[in-house]
Amino acid sequence: MMQVCLNGSRTAADGVAVPLTPESMADSAAEAVAAGATDIHVHPKTPCGRDTLSPRVLAPVLSAIRARVPVPVGVTTGAWAEPGPAGRLERIRDWTVLPDHASVNWHEPGAEETAALLMELGVGVEAGIWSGTDGAERFALSPLGPKVLRVLAEVTDTDPPAAVSSARALLSAIGTAHGRPVLLHGEDGGAWPVLRLAGRLGLATRIGLEDVLVLPDGARAGSNAELVAAGLAEYGASRAGVTRDRPARPSGGNP
């Protein structure tokens, strides 16, 4: 499984490739699926570019993407999009168009209640377990653990060598994950090393402009589709035990 994470908490300051409107998210999703993505994770945005759980924003985003692609579409329920646990539940109850799945960060206040409501509505739950938090411990004790769609093992360490070590430690902490599938991914400097580790371990993974803005050679990514194509190549090579040559980026290239 290769999930594409279209935008995350990125803003216009991160470049024109980051899709921020329903139409641009749909275009980017269609291109990414054509490149091989099999699942979509997206952050609906207000007109000013802020992540939100508002049903008035969520509905047009989901409708636009679903009109273009046949794969499952999921959204965030991160606390930054709706800080108060009670307000988050109210927003979700007001959704008029439901995603196929939604991520719930298990270290955040109200995670259990958010996950339970999503399950009640028939929305699959991706249990986000972040490195550097107590999410793994909380999830291990959760009665909802066996009912989640999958576990997102999210490595927040952005130093490449350290990210791989953090990923292994996080997977150890997650353990059997209540028997649920695990999707492993990193971010920024840790994104590509952790994706390659996922390939070696045969775990699902994800890539996209939420996680990283550059390709494996350090060149600026022009689209989510470019990242997906590169991600599949890196994953396949890692799965096969092949070391890919990555030429050094020419002087004066993109950061």
Side-chain angles (χ1 to χ4, degrees), residues 55-56 58-60 62 91-98:
R56 291 181 295 178
L58 191 88
L62 291 176
R91 287 287 203 187
I92 293 171
R93 289 191 187 98
D94 287 341
W95 285 353
T96 56
V97 177
L98 297 177

Side-chain angles (χ1 to χ4, degrees), residues 96-208:
T96 56
V97 177
L98 297 177
D100 295 290
H101 52 75
S103 61
V104 177
N105 299 321
W106 231 259
H107 65 280
E108 293 178 347
E112 293 276 342
E113 293 81 1
T114 299
L117 175 58
L118 289 166
M119 290 177 184
E120 180 183 327
L121 294 173
V123 176
V125 171
E126 295 181 308
I129 312 299
W130 292 22
S131 62
T133 73
D134 62 354
E137 291 81 359
R138 292 188 181 196
F139 184 70
L141 300 174
S142 174
L144 299 180
K147 301 177 183 179
V148 303
L149 176 66
R150 67 179 68 93
V151 172
L152 301 183
E154 309 200 41
V155 180
T156 59
D157 198 327
T158 59
D159 177 70
V164 174
S165 297
S166 292
R168 292 189 180 278
L170 179 59
L171 292 173
S172 177
I174 291 171
T176 61
H178 292 287
R180 306 312 301 144
V182 174
L183 185 157
L184 175 66
H185 76 95
E187 61 183 51
D188 292 323
W192 292 112
V194 173
L195 182 145
R196 294 180 197 114
L197 176 63
R200 292 194 293 274
L201 298 177
L203 297 174
T205 192
R206 80 178 200 186
I207 201 70

